[in-house]
Amino acid sequence: MAAQPQVRFYLGANSPAGFYSLYDQLIDPAVAENIIILKGGPGCGKSSLMRKVAQAAEDKGLSVEYIQCSGDPDSLDAVLIPAIKTALVDGTAPHVVEPKFPGVVERYVNLGECYDREGLRTVRREIMSCMTGYKGCYTRAYRCLTAAAQIGEDMRAMVATPAVDAKIAKRAKGILSREVKKTGREPGKSIQRFLGGITWQGVLCNFDTADALCRRVYELSDTYGLGHVLLTHLASGAMAAGYDVIVCPSPLYPDRMEHLLIPALSLAFVTSTPALPYGKRPYRRIRMDAMGDPDLLRRNRARLRFSRKVSGALMEEAVESLEQAKSMHDDLEALYNPHVDFDRVYAVANALSEELLAGL
């Protein structure tokens, strides 16, 4: 039997506004049992500790939600174990996490104590050199993303009209009447997660997560950013009917919805673009481009083609800058790693696993 895909999201995004955080959405401290906030600098084992605790939970048969790092998708920034209302999160910059109920719900684990400080002093100069230029790479990436987003907004404005919005709203009403039956319960709630990210590996999307949580996936084929209107109506309708939803904003436009998951209905709506297609056979496909004003599309065809080309080039430049930042970070971790007591890190991970999973 094939392994079930992992549920993977992001809670941070490289966006035109800089690092955009949704870490306050990880878990509600008012209902959480444990929130472990990990502190420590580069290479001290935060991601490794979270993986070990997550694996221990999975070995006990528990589902785990993995929160990937927007700087490096191969690294973790948090893990959530819903069945025991527990989260572990990297609380260092840029995703600083502050406790609301310290000692009662949240507590700190300082992995900086696992550094060999005497050993690190021998590479002090190299470490400081690696830090230089790191922030500059991110600054350039954010400038490129700002320009790309502005061009994207210009494209959307070329094809979107009040009549188009009305057509989309009517389509949403039809989908809701077919797919979302009223429950009679209190209105549902929403949580936010980024399904994808703009990373050093390129523009990525965890479509497998949508497949893991939902059997039926609507693909919104959308070149010009019209899907947000449809998704907004669908999310509002689903919550009004009593269903909780996972709202997934766009990393490039964090104030706009890019995907929508309704796990209780096993129903997902994912945006598919020419640059990042869904790539699988959907339950149903909606051609958002066909809802645009045909006269505007025809008159602006050349301008739209040019804008897509320029926007794509700017995104490539942003990714290249993020790749340079990742290379500098790798050099930094390579300096730190030999001076980390990983046996101690793993001992902390094992102790946390035994404590959090006791009695299961």
Side-chain angles (χ1 to χ4, degrees):
M1 181 182 294
Q4 182 76 359
Q6 288 183 344
V7 173
R8 294 176 293 127
F9 291 105
Y10 298 83
L11 282 176
N14 295 309
S15 80
F19 181 80
Y20 192 96
S21 175
L22 293 176
Y23 277 83
D24 62 339
Q25 300 277 312
L26 176 60
I27 187 172
D28 183 356
V31 301
E33 293 292 334
N34 293 282
I35 300 177
I36 313 298
I37 302 173
L38 304 178
K39 293 291 187 178
C44 70
K46 299 186 294 293
S47 185
S48 297
L49 181 148
M50 286 187 277
R51 288 190 192 281
K52 286 190 74 69
V53 175
Q55 185 59 59
E58 289 189 342
D59 290 345
K60 292 283 189 178
L62 303 182
S63 297
V64 176
E65 181 180 317
Y66 292 85
I67 303 299
Q68 294 170 273
C69 172
S70 58
D72 178 11
D74 294 328
S75 184
L76 292 178
D77 275 347
V79 293
L80 176 64
I81 311 171
I84 57 173
K85 300 178 181 179
T86 291
L88 293 89
V89 56
D90 178 350
T92 57
H95 34 75
V96 175
V97 177
E98 295 293 347
K100 290 188 176 180
F101 308 109
V104 179
V105 176
E106 302 99 339
R107 58 182 143 143
Y108 290 110
V109 171
N110 181 15
L111 292 183
E113 295 178 351
C114 299
Y115 283 139
D116 171 11
R117 294 194 64 202
E118 290 301 319
L120 286 174
R121 286 194 179 97
T122 66
V123 289
R124 171 175 173 162
R125 183 168 298 179
E126 292 89 339
I127 286 173
M128 291 182 173
S129 177
C130 277
M131 295 287 190
T132 304
Y134 179 75
K135 290 184 179 179
C137 291
Y138 272 96
T139 298
R140 183 170 184 273
Y142 296 149
R143 286 173 178 161
C144 291
L145 292 179
T146 297
Q150 290 172 343
I151 291 173
E153 177 59 26
D154 185 57
M155 285 193 290
R156 193 188 72 82
M158 275 190 259
V159 300
T161 65
V164 170
D165 287 351
K167 187 189 302 184
I168 293 173
K170 183 177 179 180
R171 187 64 179 271
K173 186 176 180 181
I175 294 170
L176 288 168
S177 66
R178 182 173 62 247
E179 301 285 8
V180 181
K181 306 304 179 185
K182 293 183 179 179
T183 63
R185 298 193 297 262
E186 291 293 316
K189 298 178 181 179
S190 71
I191 60 168
Q192 293 188 71
R193 298 283 192 270
F194 289 109
L195 193 61
I198 302 166
T199 79
W200 76 271
Q201 295 178 11
V203 182
L204 306 178
C205 185
N206 292 325
F207 288 123
D208 284 348
T209 291
D211 296 330
L213 294 175
C214 305
R215 293 188 307 276
R216 295 176 297 146
V217 176
Y218 276 72
E219 177 188 2
L220 310 186
S221 182
D222 188 8
T223 305
Y224 305 113
L226 299 176
H228 167 73
V229 176
L230 180 72
L231 294 171
T232 299
H233 286 293
L234 294 173
S236 296
M239 287 190 288
Y243 297 98
D244 293 341
V245 302
I246 302 174
V247 169
C248 302
S250 161
L252 195 60
Y253 306 98
D255 59 337
R256 289 193 201 153
M257 211 181 310
E258 191 169 49
H259 315 283
L260 174 67
L261 311 180
I262 315 173
L265 292 174
S266 200
L267 186 64
F269 300 86
V270 301
T271 295
S272 179
T273 68
L276 192 58
Y278 176 55
K280 302 175 185 179
R281 185 174 181 178
Y283 171 64
R284 288 189 176 172
R285 180 179 288 111
I286 298 176
R287 294 183 60 241
M288 300 303 302
D289 294 359
M291 297 188 191
D293 186 303
D295 290 335
L296 290 175
L297 283 167
R298 184 171 56 254
R299 290 202 304 267
N300 292 301
R301 185 176 292 117
R303 185 177 167 189
L304 289 166
R305 188 185 307 116
F306 174 78
S307 295
R308 285 176 57 190
K309 183 177 180 180
V310 173
S311 179
L314 286 164
M315 293 295 287
E316 288 177 4
E317 286 295 312
V319 168
E320 183 178 327
S321 293
L322 294 174
E323 188 173 0
Q324 292 172 357
K326 170 63 165 57
S327 178
M328 292 179 183
H329 190 265
D330 286 347
D331 292 342
L332 194 61
E333 288 205 334
L335 291 168
Y336 273 97
N337 279 161
H339 306 289
V340 175
D341 183 351
F342 279 99
D343 287 339
R344 187 174 176 182
V345 172
Y346 297 145
V348 173
N350 291 334
L352 281 172
S353 298
E354 290 178 7
E355 174 197 341
L356 297 173
L357 303 171
L360 296 178

